[in-house]
Amino acid sequence: TLVVAAIKNADNNLAQLRQALKDLGLEDSTNIVVSADHGFSTISKESTTSGAAKGEYKDVPKGQLPPGFVALDLARALDLPLNDPDNKNQPVAANTYPHLGNGLIGKNPAKPDVIVAANGGSDLVYIPGTGKKGKKPNKALARKIVAALLKQDYVSGLFVHDELGRIPGTLPLSAINLKGAGATPHPAIVINFRSYATDCGDPLLCGVTVSDTRLQQGQGMHGNFSRADTMNFMAAIGPDFKTGYVDTLPASNADVGMTIAQILGLRSTANGGLMGRVLSEAIPNGITPKAAVTSRLISKPSDNGLRTVVQYQRVLGQRYFDVAGFPGRTLGLDPIDTADKSDRKHANATR
């Protein structure tokens, strides 16, 4: 298959690099670090609830979601015009879709009420003024958008800017470290799309996710909160790493950078709190932190019973997000246990 061929190609490339180091006499003094940026999911364009999927488009198979389906569905739900920012702000005509999936919703595209940024396995919804100093957030509009999204079967998890208040069925952006002090506009709502697995024996190697993209159903995608996307492969070999060691603690790409800096004797000044940690447990004579503790944040239920859940691990104060979404719609997310106290914890601690 193509996947096996791709793995073999990457394996051959690594073998050539290692052989070159050996030929140059550098094998025993060189560290090799492999770090993938994400897992992998196959694209789905299926929905039984989307009005956009019921349209007819010249280059989209009948019944499938077109690029920009979120923008199309939200414009219809809000009863507002939709314009295409990637086509000189021109109106999106019937049976067409925004060129790149992005949309400006409102009567004046120069000053839209809502902006949708298509992002593959997740989408970003902006309500101008949200998160901006001196601006009052439009909470009523945010609730209308959330209500519309909760009706769609392609949605699995909603995260709302903290300034917009408590909205049942959603968790705040701060719950997944997306609320910060960046100068760029802050999304009002982050949409995670539904994910599931095909029948291939190992669900996490056969993940499928609904995606807002110009790519076609069956192609590859990332950017989702399913476990198939958040679980990736990382490995290291060399004089500064333990031999034959399997790290059972969670690790992230940020940790890899911090670990390399430690090995090279580099020091950097933190410009924020999301710096990662040194993977000391993988370094000879390094300290092994205590085992990670798995926790869950659970939102209040929406009117139709949906709850956004975030499952994460913690090591030395660092959070590692494993999976998030609506139970039953996100690959790798466990059902909500009636004895789970995370909802009470979340309500008291982070709201």
Side-chain angles (χ1 to χ4, degrees):
T1 66
L2 291 176
V3 173
V4 173
I7 293 172
K8 183 178 181 181
N9 182 61
D11 190 53
N12 289 340
N13 290 339
L14 180 58
Q16 290 175 351
L17 288 172
R18 295 192 66 184
Q19 186 61 48
L21 290 171
K22 186 174 183 179
D23 294 342
L24 293 169
L26 299 173
E27 184 179 31
D28 294 335
S29 61
T30 302
N31 295 308
I32 299 175
V33 180
V34 177
S35 177
D37 58 345
H38 53 78
F40 175 86
S41 292
T42 299
I43 293 171
S44 168
K45 292 293 188 75
E46 299 176 355
S47 172
T48 61
T49 60
S50 171
K54 297 176 174 63
E56 294 186 7
Y57 314 91
K58 65 178 182 180
D59 55 353
V60 176
K62 189 174 181 179
Q64 288 191 10
L65 292 164
F69 58 85
V70 170
L72 288 163
D73 285 340
L74 282 183
R76 183 178 291 108
L78 298 173
D79 194 24
L80 290 172
L82 174 63
N83 292 271
D84 188 348
D86 302 296
N87 185 28
K88 300 179 180 179
N89 290 356
Q90 292 297 307
V92 177
N95 294 319
T96 65
Y97 55 81
H99 181 62
L100 298 180
N102 308 309
L104 304 174
I105 301 174
K107 295 179 180 179
N108 181 359
K111 294 182 178 180
D113 298 289
V114 180
I115 302 168
V116 177
N119 194 43
S122 58
D123 269 13
L124 308 177
V125 178
Y126 294 83
I127 301 175
T130 302
K132 196 170 182 180
K133 250 182 186 180
K135 294 286 186 179
K136 188 176 180 180
N138 194 334
K139 296 182 179 181
L141 179 56
R143 285 180 173 271
K144 284 183 181 179
I145 294 171
V146 167
L149 292 171
L150 287 170
K151 295 177 182 178
Q152 299 293 352
D153 60 3
Y154 54 71
V155 174
S156 182
L158 294 170
F159 301 90
V160 176
H161 196 287
D162 296 50
E163 290 185 3
L164 294 169
R166 302 184 182 187
I167 302 180
T170 76
L171 285 173
L173 291 183
S174 59
I176 52 174
N177 291 342
L178 283 184
K179 182 180 181 294
T184 53
H186 297 187
I189 301 167
V190 175
I191 307 167
N192 185 57
F193 293 128
R194 179 174 68 94
S195 58
Y196 56 95
T198 58
D199 185 14
C200 74
D202 188 339
L204 298 186
L205 295 180
C206 303
V208 178
T209 182
V210 175
S211 302
D212 196 355
T213 173
R214 287 180 60 83
L215 297 178
Q216 299 177 10
Q217 179 163 284
Q219 291 184 282
M221 184 46 62
H222 62 95
N224 194 262
F225 230 141
S226 84
R227 192 63 179 128
D229 274 21
T230 64
M231 187 178 70
N232 58 8
F233 174 80
M234 293 186 284
I237 187 173
D240 291 304
F241 294 97
K242 291 179 179 177
T243 302
Y245 178 73
V246 177
D247 196 347
T248 59
L249 295 174
S252 76
N253 309 91
D255 297 342
V256 172
M258 291 291 286
T259 303
I260 293 174
Q262 172 85 1
I263 289 171
L264 295 176
L266 302 175
R267 294 182 179 274
S268 59
T269 302
N271 188 23
L274 304 180
M275 292 294 294
R277 67 180 178 91
V278 175
L279 299 173
S280 56
E281 67 270 22
I283 298 174
N285 301 317
I287 297 172
T288 300
K290 291 182 180 180
V293 176
T294 299
S295 302
R296 282 153 66 94
L297 298 177
I298 305 175
S299 76
K300 297 291 184 182
S302 65
D303 289 342
N304 57 358
L306 295 173
R307 290 179 177 230
T308 297
V309 177
V310 174
Q311 187 167 306
Y312 65 94
Q313 300 179 67
R314 187 187 294 276
V315 178
L316 295 177
Q318 297 286 334
R319 276 189 181 185
Y320 297 85
F321 298 106
D322 291 334
V323 62
F326 299 147
R329 292 194 195 177
T330 291
L331 178 59
L333 182 61
D334 296 330
I336 296 175
D337 190 329
T338 54
D340 197 323
K341 305 298 183 183
S342 297
D343 185 22
R344 183 186 303 170
K345 173 186 174 184
H346 172 72
N348 292 336
T350 61
R351 281 290 196 187

